[in-house]
Amino acid sequence: MSSLPRGLPPVLSGAGPEPVDMAKADLLAQDAPAISLEIAADMALELYGVSGEIRPLSAERDANFHIRLDTGEEALLRITNAVEDRAVTDMQTAVLMHLAAVDPSLPVQRIHASLAGRSSEIMNGPDGQTHVVRLMTFLRGTVLSSATPGPGLHIELGTLQARLNRALRGFFHPAAGHYLQWDIKQAHRLRPMLDAVADTDLRHRLTRLLDRFDAEIAPRLPHLRAQVVHNDFNPHNLLVDAPQATCLTGIIDFGDMVHTPIACDLAVACSYQIAEGADPMCRIAEMVAAFNAMLPLEDEELELLPDLIRLRHATTLSIGAWRAQRYPGNAEYILRNGAASLRGLNALEQLGNEAAIKALHAAVRAPLSE
């Protein structure tokens, strides 16, 4: 009997797996898979021939495990929620393989081949449900949400996001049009969740914002450039070099990918970078200027951006309240972005759309700082 390989299996690039049809389900209403360390270790050994020190990682929908092999190599074992549309899972796998082919230096995870040579495998969990299992490279770094951004980091953030969008321009997958509540263009579907927002004043503000979306924003979205985007360029999904961050080292978690306007993807990133103090747009202005330098923005995209940022805050606050009410045991994780979203929403409302749009136009016209 031959011995199992000691190192990680090869990574895959190029064309992704064929999508598989599966009935759609509402992932927001599902718990993450209940996979123990022992079961995860068995899956890693049986499917990929790897073993070593294993520990769980926090996640909202999937079961993720960090593996450190005896060789010192590291990997991420991802066991997908059983109710996730299988075609959507295949899309997330395919995009990482696409990026490995078209822009190999992008700091994203790679897909390791299974012992059978496949990009993913199917396994039964302890409850009898089937899960997609993938082994990915593990990106080291400090999560940006736990770091202090240094000078120029927001310029790099805008540049990297634009670069990722450029790399995704040629990517297509039949599952890209799936329904995702975190997609800003789906904001009208938040209304049933507003009852979970305990603060009456905030609930009324969110209702008015959704009224504006229905009347003025949604009709304009079909006229914007759209493609498959990451859709969750937030500080929890970005890695930097150190707690005092000088550069970005990784983009993780493509779980919210969807086909939507580029401006919506940029709005997601900007929503987490509203500054405190008298100039809440200063960091966003740097990001947008850098994004625009690599991927020029159209006037209508700039003019809609402040509204789209506010709608991202509304999405975070509504979904957070709704999910925390249903899963109180995981409320701390679910609500981790709530306070920042409320602060951002307050800042933009106090500034006003006209001033925010003026700041964005000035940013893209100004020379980009080194």
Side-chain angles (χ1 to χ4, degrees), residues 312-364:
R312 172 64 177 199
H313 291 316
T315 301
T316 300
L317 292 166
S318 301
I319 292 177
W322 183 80
R323 295 202 76 229
Q325 189 180 76
R326 283 155 178 75
Y327 305 107
N330 201 28
E332 182 178 356
Y333 177 81
I334 293 169
L335 297 173
R336 68 193 186 281
N337 293 319
S341 290
L342 182 57
R343 179 178 60 79
L345 183 63
N346 291 340
L348 283 183
E349 288 185 346
Q350 184 174 358
L351 180 65
N353 261 17
E354 184 176 345
I357 292 170
K358 183 178 179 180
L360 292 174
H361 277 289
V364 299

Side-chain angles (χ1 to χ4, degrees), residues 201 218 267 311:
D201 177 66
L311 286 161

